[in-house]
Amino acid sequence: MAKMTLEELKKLRETKKRELEKREVTGKDIEIIVGMATCGIAAGAKQTLSAFLNELEAQNLSNVVVRQTGCMGYCYAEPTVEIRMPGMPDIIYGKVDPETAVKIVRKHILGKVLINDHILDKPAADIMKK
Amino acid sequence: MAFKNYVLVCGGTACQSSKSEEIYKNFISELEAAGIKEDVQVVKTGCFGFCEKGPIVKVLPDESFYVEVKPTDAKEIVAEHLVKGRQVKRLLYQGEETKKHAKVEDIAFYQKQFRIVLRNCGVINPEDINEYIARDGYAALEKVLFQMTPDEVIQELKVSGLRGRGGAGFPTWLKWNFTKQVNDSPKYIVCNADEGDPGAYMDRSTLEGDPHSILEAMTIAGKTIGSNKGYIYIRAEYPLAIHRLEVAIKQARELGLLGKDILGSGFDFDIEIRLGAGAFVCGEETALLASIEGERGMPKPRPPFPAVKGLWKKPTVINNVETWANIPVIILRGGAWFANIGTEKSKGTKVFALTGKIRNSGLVEVPMGTTLREIIYDIGGGIINGKKFKAVQTGGPSGGVITADYLDTPIDYENLQKLGSIMGSGGMIVMDEDDCMVDIAKFYLGFTVDESCGKCAPCRVGGRQLLNYLDKISKGKATRDDLAKMKQIGAAMKRASLCGLGQTAPNPVLSTLTYFEKEYLAHVDDRTCPAGKCKDLITYSILPEKCIGCGLCARRCPVSCITGEKRQPHVIDQSACIKCGECYSVCKFGAVMRK
């Protein structure tokens, strides 16, 4: 007996797709996505991640999700962090040390102001998005 | 109160030297004059690449990308774009170059990179199968299990033109088809993740960022050629990639995407991980298979090829990580879509690990046919510290160097080979005027000599002899006869070595000999090293007429071999000098001479 049928996989995909989109559209959630590949970790991504978690707790922000992802390719600018939130364009920050992480929470997320000297361009268009 | 628009002014060093600071200030004053400074935030960014076309200004949220912006253009962008909402067409980047190599409408209009292999890297959480599924993960497997026949899958790969990304560029469909046609069982699927070239980490990043794409592709191959068992051979030095693969395999098994009766199709497939102990030769496919079997990792003569007699002498498809990562997209989008990208003979994209003396080092994925100049200058941002470009090394210890004269060559398998290098797995090391080509050749050959398994004499003995000659050259003890002998030995190794390691080991030497003969001759005839790298050929001395006796060099000298009275010319004790060059680089008065 198969653990999952074709229909179940299709259903799962639709649900998960909607969940991803909902996060982007209805604007309840703010996402902080930290690049946690070997290159990011070597450059201090773990410290950056804990700085985010500490600052979110200090600011009592519960509508923010912190996620990990792989390498975006910006080895010279690790750790890299992407911020997605309603009312703001998706922004990738490079060279995010713990100090910058605190700044991102206070200025970008709370103050809705972009931070100087750290923004990077997206490496390429997303071929999975139509 | 959130802003309506954001003006991003590139603040990379290249753009800064072309007045980005002034542009930034002009935007602020123009916005104030137009009375909309509350609605628009001006931000200084990191480097956006495209430094040749700098300064760059990007306007969000509509992602307008302005190039070669002058400080005076701020007024027009504010008045037209930000007040009236009309883009300033004359400053927008026209992406003709990108479109030349990739006639695919979904390439963003200005981006040089095009990500197929790295599509999920930096986007999904690699440890959550649901995020992979949400981005059409395992949809290609569905198609292969329920809608396509194995022959249709192979046909699709044939149309796509996909060639092996491990370096040799063998057509993937042909490999699969050979294995499929052999009447023997069981058959095996193997993923070669034994990435060993110095400076190459494409496979590691792919596995760390998107492990499921490899599992899905291997399962597709299993169904296509009739195999129920796959192995991923990965080096033990990649602990995070191994961990993410383990998590991925566990999650896929839990959902029944690996294991018995996948999705109720009746097809069984499972994958195991095998760790390599870090021998470079195990990246060679026959040595890799021997290592999986528990034997010593040594290559075997081919034929028979693994497609016929591979793992445990059974038919085996073995592909590299990057090749695998392309498969699900080809199945989903179709071979014709893929074949639209790239050059006539090399389709799709290639991932490169861009390192060395480059400003924006990193992982880039570009359509085949992109030029080295575009990669190094547009994406990589050019040479660090404004030094002069000398050469780029591709293909690691099996490749060669490419000089400035060939920067505009479109990259594909054939072109790189013509230049005496190879595509290889994708390491790309940029070198500047301070790099000595003899030293570079010595580094790579030293690596292959260390990593030679010793089975065949041409590689074992030839490599050592070549290295001895290089050593002689770098010490200024070689003759012109030695250069001729090196060419002979190199040619013999290429012809007579058993596997790719030995056959390609002389490449770094032969290609530097071809393109930088003058530099070799300087070492041989004049006993000098023009780049100042070969320690036996250089001396540092202090010019008494320029030295003001500040003592900085003496304080910095790690072996304290510089002495002198304050405000009096200093002297270097040549017998103790280790030629590190520290005095040369710290002296502010040009008083230290390198000869």
Side-chain angles (χ1 to χ4, degrees), chain B residues 69-350:
Chain B
V69 178
K70 292 183 198 65
T72 46
D73 293 331
K75 188 169 184 156
E76 188 176 346
I77 295 176
V78 169
E80 283 296 307
H81 192 148
L82 296 166
V83 176
K84 295 179 194 153
R86 295 194 296 233
Q87 287 180 326
V88 182
K89 291 251 159 54
R90 70 177 175 92
L91 294 171
L92 280 179
Y93 178 67
Q94 315 286 333
E96 314 105 285
E97 283 151 341
T98 313
K99 280 178 190 139
K100 243 188 318 189
H101 324 300
K103 301 175 190 79
V104 178
E105 62 276 4
D106 43 7
I107 290 187
F109 61 100
Y110 67 86
Q111 275 150 328
K112 295 267 179 193
Q113 292 201 51
F114 187 66
R115 298 198 155 190
I116 298 175
V117 172
L118 302 175
R119 60 193 177 276
N120 288 325
C121 290
V123 180
I124 63 167
N125 178 352
E127 297 189 24
D128 184 353
I129 190 170
N130 290 324
E131 295 201 13
Y132 180 69
I133 289 175
R135 286 171 58 81
D136 290 336
Y138 291 104
L141 178 63
E142 275 174 40
K143 228 172 144 180
V144 170
L145 289 178
F146 297 100
Q147 293 166 28
M148 297 171 82
T149 65
D151 285 328
E152 283 168 353
V153 174
I154 287 180
Q155 181 59 27
E156 212 58 66
L157 284 186
K158 188 176 174 180
V159 171
S160 78
L162 176 66
R163 296 166 66 176
R165 297 291 193 250
F170 192 78
T172 306
W173 76 272
L174 210 53
K175 219 180 217 185
W176 289 29
N177 207 33
F178 282 145
T179 320
K180 179 172 170 284
Q181 283 168 351
V182 180
N183 194 9
D184 196 356
S185 77
K187 296 178 182 176
Y188 295 103
I189 306 293
V190 174
C191 170
N192 182 348
D194 191 59
E195 186 175 46
D197 287 6
Y201 51 94
M202 300 75 53
D203 295 348
R204 187 192 71 204
S205 292
T206 308
L207 290 167
E208 285 175 359
D210 193 15
H212 284 285
S213 65
I214 307 301
L215 306 185
E216 183 181 5
M218 290 174 73
T219 314
I220 288 170
K223 170 71 180 166
T224 307
I225 65 136
S227 160
N228 304 108
K229 183 84 196 178
Y231 290 94
I232 298 174
Y233 187 87
I234 181 169
R235 49 202 341 240
E237 292 97 322
Y238 283 178
L240 186 63
I242 295 165
H243 168 73
R244 297 222 165 121
L245 274 172
E246 282 168 346
V247 171
I249 290 174
K250 185 168 162 272
Q251 290 177 345
R253 280 186 191 145
E254 276 165 11
L255 287 185
L257 292 163
L258 278 179
K260 294 251 176 263
D261 191 17
I262 295 170
L263 297 173
S265 65
F267 173 66
D268 305 338
F269 193 78
D270 212 344
I271 294 174
E272 273 182 47
I273 298 175
R274 286 287 182 275
L275 301 188
F280 180 63
V281 74
C282 286
E284 196 282 336
E285 57 184 19
T286 58
L288 185 152
L289 296 175
S291 177
I292 293 183
E293 291 171 9
E295 300 290 319
R296 191 167 164 184
M298 292 225 244
K300 294 188 186 94
R302 296 177 304 180
F305 285 93
V308 181
K309 276 193 166 60
L311 198 54
W312 290 295
K313 300 201 166 49
K314 295 294 178 185
T316 304
V317 163
I318 172 164
N319 282 132
N320 158 273
V321 169
E322 192 182 333
T323 314
W324 287 119
N326 277 297
I327 304 278
V329 181
I330 291 174
I331 300 294
L332 272 184
R333 296 288 176 92
W337 175 85
F338 191 83
N340 229 336
I341 308 159
T343 63
E344 194 195 335
K345 286 190 177 158
S346 304
K347 302 299 187 188
T349 60
K350 181 76 193 85

Side-chain angles (χ1 to χ4, degrees), chain B residues 5-21:
Chain B
N5 286 95
Y6 301 89
V7 174
L8 309 184
V9 182
C10 183
T13 28
C15 285
Q16 253 170 27
S17 55
S18 47
K19 301 189 172 164
S20 69
E21 188 64 35

Side-chain angles (χ1 to χ4, degrees), chain A residues 38 67 69 117 121 127, chain B residues 44 58 124 131 208 333:
Chain A
T38 298
R67 291 168 53 214
T69 188
D117 302 324
D121 203 9
I127 64 159
Chain B
K44 275 185 276 186
K58 190 170 174 176
I124 63 167
E131 295 201 13
E208 285 175 359
R333 296 288 176 92

